Amino acid sequence: MRLLHTSDWHLGRAFHRVNMLGAQAEFIGHLVTTVRERDVDAVVVSGDVYDRAVPPLAAVELFDEALHRLADLGVPTVMISGNHDSARRLGVGAGLIDRAGIHLRTDPSACGTPVVLEDTFGEVAFYGLPYLEPALVKDEFGVEKAGHEAVLAAAMDRVRADLATRAGGTRSVVLAHAFVTGGEASDSERDITVGGVAAVPAGVFDGVDYAALGHLHGSQTITERVRYSGSPLPYSFSETDHRKTMWLVDLGADGSVGAERLDCPVPRTLARVRGHLEDLLVDPELARHEEAWVEATLTDPVRPADPMARLLARFPHTLSLVFEPERAPDDPDVSYARRLAGRSDQEIAEDFVAHVRGAGPDAREQAVLQDVFDAVRADDTVREVAR
């Protein structure tokens, strides 16, 4: 069976101030063409279809168009909700849409109920594990402590239990939206840390033939059977070195996996340039970036006059301008943002406690802070979905 694995469309999202809806529509067209020309048997979409729980109307219309075009091909599509989606909204009408061969899996309680497709070698069971917010699903899965590994492991137990009841030789595919250990993150992914831990081990997915992952925006191979497709378009300059692709996966009669990366159409390349403004304006090595979307980091000790206008004269698609004057790390003029760069909310809070009290929090106080951050993040998720 030939699968096309994609994820993280983030319909409705902009790239800095650039509306990406046209590029997203072009990607949908590319997806449909690929399905038709490469004889794809099933499409899997591993979450974050939309960029937010209440997407703009234009994004909903594009999604509707995508569903119609996929259904018209007669190729089944299995799709899960991600941490940016509202599972309840995305799942509205799932029963009716299912009849058209579009299988939306947004209910955590249905993790062990697969979509079963057939090829000449027998059945393939597709298990959809939507994004599992630990604080919201721990009771459903009967775990004592809310954590990503615990709820995913419990969901996979249901998958393996169902698979054990099926005929010998039944192949299996799991769709999941999670941060798996060994994956490389980028700035454009929403933090899903719970209890100080965001990642789960790849071994959680043992027992299935292929795990089609979503959440991380870079295409990555964790193991031969566990892969991220990545987002089809860039959504931050941290993705400058990404090659935006989908996975074309051939699932053999014996469950063997062969995978090929297929490039996605990207409207412009990304470039990060750094240095003194005058140098950036004349450096011949930077000529290759003149048509790219550019993030420029200026290291001039004093902020130059009209930097954006001058940059735009050479790099007309400059979207981001960052000032990082060349100073020693202990210089009192180093910006607050630079001092906080790379530090988690928990670390910043602990530093604040140490600053005002003269000593950092003890283990009990660290646990209290972590519980509060987890509770606030879970509450934000509930509020966003309820809007």
Side-chain angles (χ1 to χ4, degrees), residues 233-307:
L233 292 166
Y235 293 114
S236 76
F237 277 102
S238 65
E239 301 172 48
T240 297
D241 295 329
H242 286 188
R243 175 186 164 198
K244 294 302 182 183
T245 60
M246 301 178 287
W247 284 111
L248 187 68
V249 177
D250 286 314
L251 190 61
D254 59 352
S256 59
V257 171
E260 177 187 355
R261 288 180 71 183
L262 304 181
D263 290 299
C264 297
V266 176
R268 291 187 187 277
T269 58
L270 306 186
R272 279 176 153 171
V273 299
R274 181 185 181 90
H276 288 202
L277 177 59
E278 295 299 336
D279 294 335
L280 298 181
L281 296 178
V282 298
D283 187 349
E285 290 295 317
L286 301 181
R288 67 187 188 279
H289 299 318
E290 289 176 357
E291 294 303 317
W293 280 324
V294 170
E295 178 182 75
T297 299
L298 302 185
T299 60
D300 302 71
V302 177
R303 184 180 297 232
D306 299 322

Side-chain angles (χ1 to χ4, degrees), residues 32-162:
V32 171
T33 298
T34 300
V35 170
R36 183 175 59 249
E37 294 183 351
R38 297 301 297 267
D39 297 321
V40 171
D41 298 308
V43 177
V44 295
V45 186
S46 300
D48 282 354
V49 175
Y50 292 122
D51 188 56
R52 56 182 186 265
V54 185
L57 179 59
V60 177
E61 290 173 340
L62 179 56
F63 178 59
D64 182 63
E65 177 188 340
L67 294 186
H68 277 85
R69 295 179 70 178
L70 287 169
D72 287 344
L73 291 175
V75 176
T77 298
V78 184
M79 185 178 296
I80 62 172
S81 50
N83 62 304
H84 280 250
D85 299 308
S86 164
R88 293 178 65 185
R89 284 190 172 87
L90 187 64
V92 168
L96 288 173
I97 296 172
D98 195 79
R99 300 177 187 177
I102 306 294
H103 308 283
L104 296 173
R105 292 297 181 263
T106 63
D107 183 357
S109 67
C111 285
T113 304
V115 175
V116 179
L117 305 179
E118 292 189 27
D119 63 9
T120 56
F121 302 111
E123 294 186 340
V124 180
F126 290 78
Y127 297 89
L129 278 57
Y131 172 67
L132 303 174
E133 175 61 49
L136 303 183
V137 301
K138 67 182 183 69
D139 292 338
E140 165 65 33
F141 292 106
V143 298
E144 294 183 4
K145 186 175 181 181
H148 290 293
E149 183 174 355
V151 296
L152 261 176
M156 283 300 302
D157 284 344
R158 294 188 184 183
V159 168
R160 285 184 283 264
D162 179 83

Side-chain angles (χ1 to χ4, degrees), residues 322-336:
V322 180
F323 291 97
E324 291 188 2
E326 294 171 340
R327 295 191 176 108
D330 58 352
D331 189 315
D333 289 332
V334 171
S335 73
Y336 182 68

